[in-house]
């Protein structure tokens, strides 16, 4: 079993005094995630307090029916040979009990760890293995420095420490990092905790059916993201707090299969020395906790136009958005089967070649081409065959052939395959005409993808075909950006919900159903915040909800500068408003701003203009915010099936569709004609300058699917 409901990560301290009442680094921190929800890290001032807190938490979680993975940041075992020297047995848990019977601790932090270490040093010839102490003139059996310790009776480090390149050994008692002292003060606590019913120790015991599993972790496995988190929080950030918060989050978000890989199939040394959970899987852990490390919010002035700008051409507006926006979502690791439609957060590297080994492309007979003579051939057949997934068990001798089926690995001694249709089959032999090229009808190993090759780049929206490729090259899960959450708000006293009774002067809200459907088609999570009347306080509350629940906010209506245009008024109040007067038809006013760290796109209230502004501006901007990079729709030059004269000054978008190879446009350009949106299948884009379009002239047609698709 690896399906844990609760993850606890403990940063253990070996300090000789009780920590301050104010949270500090010289204390014990507990990071906790329960059923996927991160809890506030717990601060403990002493080891006695922490042990009581952990034991109570175990009882609480087991009583609630939850299974717990509890990870501690100190070694669970010593290098091979040490336990036998102390207890006469290689069983590390006997050493746990030996230490628990001798280590003394107090609620104020005073302890006898140096006395116990000195006693253990006496079991070895020469100085050490423990070294480092607080006083040069005390504990004469403990060297003050490591100089002169040979580590010939026991290694200085465990196997997993060497692989992970951990910073110090479990024999170092002083001078940061004091892993040896942490272990001496932590192992007795673990010895007591493991005696609780339902608790087991990984990897020393049968742990798969336990209610609580104790495991060893090393914060260095996520060092990069810890540094980022501390830097983002700025002065006053407590590193130990960030470590337990992020490690608990990372472990809780790992797919069960990946966590199972970490906990199983360990080398034999782990049975005596223990093992650091996550060694070899550092990138998995860092990606799993990266979504708590969201990039800092966009600047409040990121939408500000250059001084003196009035009317903004469409191209300039798009260039400003592209230059000033970036991803605002975090990252996570998801199983391959859940990755379709997600945005890849990092490059994907093939774990194995595709195909992994040379194989046959057809049903036929395989042989070594250089063993053939000139002209027609007659070859004896060896017994057996090679089939996909069932390789031939031996080597094919020169001058012999073997039956092969499509997809079978080429047996040793085979480099060429002849189609079964080109062979005459006799009793135990085949005959065929010569002239076949070496390597015919075979696929070489890695001819599609070589092991170690980058197969997909970051920013790609993953398709079903991408998942097939990833599976073929041995990937079980993928790093992806979190889903962009988009809040949608309709504003206006005149709006009523479809299906309700509309009074005089009221209209049905057409924008919200359209925008929420568009957002969903784009692959984002929709946060529908409903309709808001022309009431500034109500709209402020709705924007506050949007900033809490979403990464970006789309509003429709109230984006201009009239008496009831509350969207632009509130953004102005917040000091983060930019009214972009776009040289565009339809949809000139576009209010852009920030609210509570979330970018706001204030769309026009007219449904036609709202749709056009969403597709032209909000869509590529949201692609950047989602981590996918700038999305430019693919247009096509097609003959016009209409006639149109256009004045200079504004770029125009006409509702259009393709019929009989020509672009036809809706009969009316009126922006209130919502039926034209349903009629159309795309837009015809007319340039900023003057234009005179006649039937047959080339025009740029952009299908709606090109705007919406990846």
């Amino acid at each position: 079993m690896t399906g844990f409901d609760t993850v606890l990560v403990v940063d253990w301290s070996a300090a000789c005094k009780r920590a301050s009442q104010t949270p500090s680094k010289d204390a014990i921190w507990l990071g906790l995630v329960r059923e996927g929800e991160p809890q506030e890290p717990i601060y403990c001032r002493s080891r006695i307090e922490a042990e009581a807190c952990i034991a109570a938490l175990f009882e609480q979680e087991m009583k609630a029916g939850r299974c717990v993975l509890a990870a501690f940041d100190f070694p669970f075992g010593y290098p091979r040979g040490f336990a036998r020297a102390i207890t006469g047995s290689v069983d590390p848990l006997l050493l746990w009990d030996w230490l628990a019977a001798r280590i003394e601790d107090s609620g104020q932090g005073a302890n006898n760890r140096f006395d116990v270490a000195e006693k253990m040093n006496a079991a070895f010839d020469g100085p050490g293995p423990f070294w480092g102490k607080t006083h040069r003139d005390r504990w004469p059996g403990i060297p003050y420095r490591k100089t002169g310790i040979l580590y010939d009776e026991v290694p200085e480090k465990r196997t997993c420490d060497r692989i992970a390149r951990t910073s110090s050994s479990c024999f170092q008692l002083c001078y940061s990092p004091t892993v040896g002292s942490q272990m001496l003060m932590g192992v007795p606590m673990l010895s007591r905790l493991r005696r609780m019913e339902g608790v087991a120790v990984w990897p020393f015991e049968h742990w798969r059916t336990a209610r609580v599993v104790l495991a060893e972790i090393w914060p260095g496995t996520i060092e990069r993201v810890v540094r980022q988190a501390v830097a983002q929080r700025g002065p006053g950030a407590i590193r130990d707090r960030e470590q337990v918060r992020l490690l608990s989050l990372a472990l809780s978000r790992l797919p069960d299969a990946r966590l199972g890989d970490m906990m199983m199939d360990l080398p034999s040394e782990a049975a005596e020395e223990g093992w650091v959970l996550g060694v070899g899987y550092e990138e998995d852990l860092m990606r799993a906790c990266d979504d708590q490390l969201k990039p800092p919010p966009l600047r409040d002035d990121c939408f500000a136009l250059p001084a003196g700008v009035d009317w903004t051409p469409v191209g300039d507006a798009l260039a400003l958005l592209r230059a000033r926006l970036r991803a605002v979502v975090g990252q996570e690791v998801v199983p391959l089967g859940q990755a379709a439609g997600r945005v890849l957060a990092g490059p994907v590297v093939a774990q194995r070649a595709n195909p992994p080994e040379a194989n046959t492309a057809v049903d036929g007979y395989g042989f070594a081409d250089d063993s053939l003579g000139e002209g027609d051939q007659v070859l004896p057949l060896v017994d057996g065959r090679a089939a996909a997934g069932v390789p031939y068990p031996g080597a094919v001798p020169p001058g012999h052939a073997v039956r092969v089926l499509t997809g079978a690995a080429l047996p040793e001694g085979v480099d060429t395959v002849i189609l079964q249709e080109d062979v005459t089959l006799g009793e135990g032999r085949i005959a065929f005409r010569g002239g076949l090229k070496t390597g015919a009808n075979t696929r070489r190993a890695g001819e599609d993808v070589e092991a170690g090759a980058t197969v997909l780049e970051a920013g790609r929206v993953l398709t079903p075909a991408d998942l097939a490729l990833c599976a073929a090259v041995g990937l079980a899960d993928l790093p992806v950006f979190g889903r962009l959450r988009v809040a949608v708000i309709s504003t206006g006293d005149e709006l009523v919900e479809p299906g309700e009774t509309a009074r005089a002067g009221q209209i049905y809200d057409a924008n919200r159903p359209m925008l929420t459907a568009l957002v969903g088609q784009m692959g984002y999570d929709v946060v529908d915040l409903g309709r808001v009347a022309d009431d500034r306080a109500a709209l402020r509350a709705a924007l506050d909800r949007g900033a809490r629940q979403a990464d970006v906010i789309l509003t429709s209506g109230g984006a201009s500068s009239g008496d009831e245009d509350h969207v632009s008024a509130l953004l102005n109040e917040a000091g983060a408003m930019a009214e972009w007067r776009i040289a565009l038809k339809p949809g000139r006013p576009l209010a852009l701003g920030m609210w509570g760290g979330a970018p706001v796109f204030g769309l026009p209230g007219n449904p036609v203009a709202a749709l056009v502004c969403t597709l032209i501006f909000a869509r590529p901007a949201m692609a950047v915010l989602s981590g996918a990079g700038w999305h430019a729709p693919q247009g096509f030059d097609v003959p016009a099936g209409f006639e149109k004269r256009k004045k200079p000054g504004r770029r125009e978008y006409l509702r259009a569709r393709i019929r009989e190879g020509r672009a036809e446009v809706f009969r009316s350009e009126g922006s209130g004609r919502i039926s034209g949106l349903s009629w159309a299948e795309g837009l015809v884009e007319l340039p900023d300058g003057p234009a005179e379009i006649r039937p047959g002239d080339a025009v740029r047609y952009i299908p709606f699917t090109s705007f919406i698709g990846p």
Side-chain angles (χ1 to χ4, degrees):
M1 179 201 71
T2 55
F4 297 102
D5 308 295
T6 301
V7 173
L8 172 71
V9 173
V10 179
D11 181 275
W12 195 253
S13 170
C16 293
K17 62 181 181 179
R18 193 179 188 199
S20 64
Q21 191 167 359
T22 303
S24 71
K25 64 177 182 177
D26 297 318
I28 294 174
W29 284 94
L30 313 182
L32 184 66
V33 177
R34 179 182 289 117
E35 295 182 330
E37 290 296 324
Q39 311 295 307
E40 183 66 18
I42 301 168
Y43 174 72
C44 299
R45 299 176 63 191
S46 71
R47 290 179 292 272
I48 303 298
E49 178 185 331
E51 182 175 341
C53 179
I54 294 167
L57 191 146
F58 286 177
E59 290 180 352
Q60 171 188 321
E61 297 304 288
M62 287 191 282
K63 185 176 180 180
R66 291 188 283 265
C67 294
V68 182
L69 173 63
F72 298 79
D73 73 333
F74 55 82
F76 279 19
Y78 288 90
R80 62 186 181 277
F82 182 86
R84 183 186 293 277
I86 302 301
T87 68
S89 170
V90 297
D91 184 353
L93 297 178
L94 288 180
L95 183 58
W96 282 24
D97 295 340
W98 188 94
L99 287 170
R102 289 163 176 78
I103 289 287
E104 299 171 1
D105 199 5
S106 75
Q108 296 303 314
N111 62 82
N112 67 335
R113 67 183 188 274
F114 293 103
D115 300 295
V116 175
E118 186 177 43
K119 184 174 183 178
M120 289 191 287
N121 270 358
F124 297 88
D125 296 329
F130 290 100
W131 66 275
K133 53 188 176 181
T134 55
H135 300 75
R136 279 184 180 271
D137 57 348
R138 296 181 63 183
W139 308 291
I142 300 177
Y144 190 69
R145 298 290 185 187
K146 190 173 69 169
T147 305
I149 302 176
L150 299 178
Y151 293 108
D152 51 359
E153 294 184 64
V154 294
E156 181 182 11
K157 290 192 175 186
R158 303 174 299 165
T159 302
C160 63
D161 294 326
R162 293 195 300 272
I163 293 173
R165 298 181 181 178
T166 54
S167 51
S168 72
S169 84
C170 53
F171 296 123
Q172 181 178 336
L173 301 176
C174 267
Y175 323 117
S176 183
T178 57
V179 173
S181 286
Q182 281 184 294
M183 185 176 180
L184 285 178
M185 301 312 300
V187 162
M189 175 264 302
L190 295 180
S191 179
R192 291 184 288 270
L193 290 177
R194 77 172 272 262
R195 300 196 180 281
M196 296 176 64
E197 186 174 352
V199 177
V201 182
W202 173 86
F204 300 147
E205 296 181 297
H206 297 291
W207 54 272
R208 290 176 179 82
T209 58
R211 304 292 300 282
V212 175
V213 177
L214 309 181
E216 176 186 344
I217 197 76
W218 180 48
T221 55
I222 61 164
E223 175 61 19
R224 184 184 71 224
V225 293
V226 170
R227 285 200 306 268
Q228 292 172 359
V230 171
Q232 284 186 17
R233 290 186 178 269
I238 300 174
R239 183 183 178 83
D240 295 345
R241 180 187 186 278
E242 296 307 305
Q243 285 180 167
V244 299
R245 180 179 68 85
L246 292 168
L247 269 172
S248 59
L249 185 75
L251 290 170
S252 72
R253 292 189 171 178
L254 283 174
D256 283 354
R258 203 59 165 167
L259 186 56
D261 291 342
M262 292 183 184
M263 300 184 75
M264 299 173 193
D265 299 325
L266 301 178
S268 59
E269 293 91 341
E272 180 181 350
E273 297 181 333
W275 200 260
V276 175
L277 183 62
V279 168
Y281 297 86
E282 291 83 356
E283 288 298 322
D284 296 81
L285 288 167
M286 284 189 281
R287 285 194 296 263
C289 62
D290 260 354
D291 77 337
Q292 280 297 97
L293 300 175
K294 284 190 175 182
L298 298 171
R299 293 168 54 94
D300 283 350
D301 63 352
C302 73
F303 294 122
L305 290 171
V309 171
D310 188 9
W311 287 99
T312 305
V314 171
D316 292 353
L318 292 175
L320 281 170
L321 287 176
R322 185 170 189 172
R324 295 180 180 181
L325 297 180
R326 52 171 170 69
V328 297
V329 289
Q331 301 176 23
E332 60 182 330
V333 176
V334 299
L336 189 70
Q338 299 175 19
R342 303 295 294 273
V343 179
L344 197 61
V348 171
V349 175
Q351 299 301 301
R352 67 182 298 190
N354 183 50
E357 50 194 346
N359 65 85
T360 174
V362 298
D363 290 345
Y365 298 88
F367 47 85
D369 184 64
D370 63 4
S371 69
L372 303 183
E374 297 292 329
D376 295 345
Q377 304 293 320
V378 176
L379 298 181
L381 285 172
V382 298
D383 292 334
R385 68 175 192 175
V390 186
Y392 182 73
V396 177
H400 289 67
V402 63
R403 173 68 167 152
V404 294
L405 302 181
T406 303
L410 292 184
E412 183 182 349
V414 171
D415 60 15
T416 304
V417 172
I418 187 168
L419 281 161
Q420 62 184 17
E421 294 87 346
D422 295 336
V423 164
T424 300
L425 179 63
E427 187 65 33
R429 57 184 182 172
I430 57 171
F432 57 93
R433 294 188 180 277
L436 208 61
K437 290 184 178 180
T438 302
N441 300 312
T442 66
R443 308 181 185 103
R444 66 174 179 83
E447 74 173 27
D448 179 25
V449 179
E450 297 281 359
T454 298
V455 293
L456 296 173
E457 296 288 354
R460 184 178 179 87
V461 179
L462 291 164
T463 67
D466 294 334
L467 302 190
L469 173 59
C470 291
V473 297
L475 296 161
D477 43 53
L478 297 171
V480 297
F481 284 105
R483 287 189 185 277
L484 189 75
R485 297 163 299 176
V486 181
V488 179
I489 304 172
S490 287
T491 68
D493 287 339
E494 74 277 15
L495 300 179
V496 294
E497 198 72 15
E500 295 180 357
T501 301
R503 299 190 305 272
Q506 290 187 315
I507 59 174
Y508 293 115
D509 182 5
N511 282 347
R512 216 169 83 255
M514 175 181 70
L515 294 175
T516 54
L518 270 175
V519 168
Q521 283 186 329
M522 293 171 189
Y524 309 137
D525 287 343
V526 180
V527 180
D528 187 350
L529 295 181
R531 294 173 292 111
V532 179
D534 288 322
D535 178 279
R536 199 159 296 186
L539 180 57
R540 181 182 287 107
L543 290 171
D544 287 342
R545 290 197 304 276
R548 287 194 305 270
Q549 300 175 27
D551 304 300
V552 60
I553 303 171
L554 299 183
T555 69
S556 60
S560 192
S561 54
D563 292 345
E564 299 296 339
D565 288 321
H566 298 294
V567 172
S568 52
L570 284 173
L571 292 175
N572 271 317
E573 282 182 18
M577 162 68 180
E579 183 179 359
W580 286 21
R581 300 175 69 193
I582 311 294
L584 170 75
K585 180 182 178 180
R588 279 180 286 184
L590 185 64
L592 297 172
M594 300 294 297
W595 190 271
V600 179
F601 288 80
L603 305 169
N606 183 293
V608 176
L611 176 72
V612 170
C613 286
T614 299
L615 296 180
I616 302 301
F617 299 108
R619 167 52 172 152
M622 290 191 295
V624 174
L625 297 171
S626 75
W630 188 258
H631 177 87
Q634 177 64 57
F636 306 91
D637 287 341
V638 298
F642 62 93
E643 190 171 340
K644 163 83 174 171
R645 179 175 294 175
K646 175 191 172 297
K647 295 180 180 179
R650 289 197 291 174
R651 187 173 301 186
E652 294 189 18
Y653 290 91
L654 309 178
R655 286 152 283 176
R657 64 187 186 185
I658 300 294
R659 291 295 183 271
E660 297 181 358
R662 292 181 171 230
E664 59 181 42
V665 298
F666 191 58
R667 64 182 183 277
S668 170
E669 294 181 20
S671 58
R673 299 289 187 96
I674 301 177
S675 62
L677 295 178
S678 177
W679 174 91
E681 295 167 356
L683 299 174
V684 161
E685 181 184 66
L686 301 182
D688 299 346
E692 188 168 344
I693 310 297
R694 292 186 174 86
D697 289 348
V699 293
R700 186 170 187 253
Y701 173 76
I702 311 172
F704 285 144
T705 53
S706 182
F707 286 107
I708 295 168

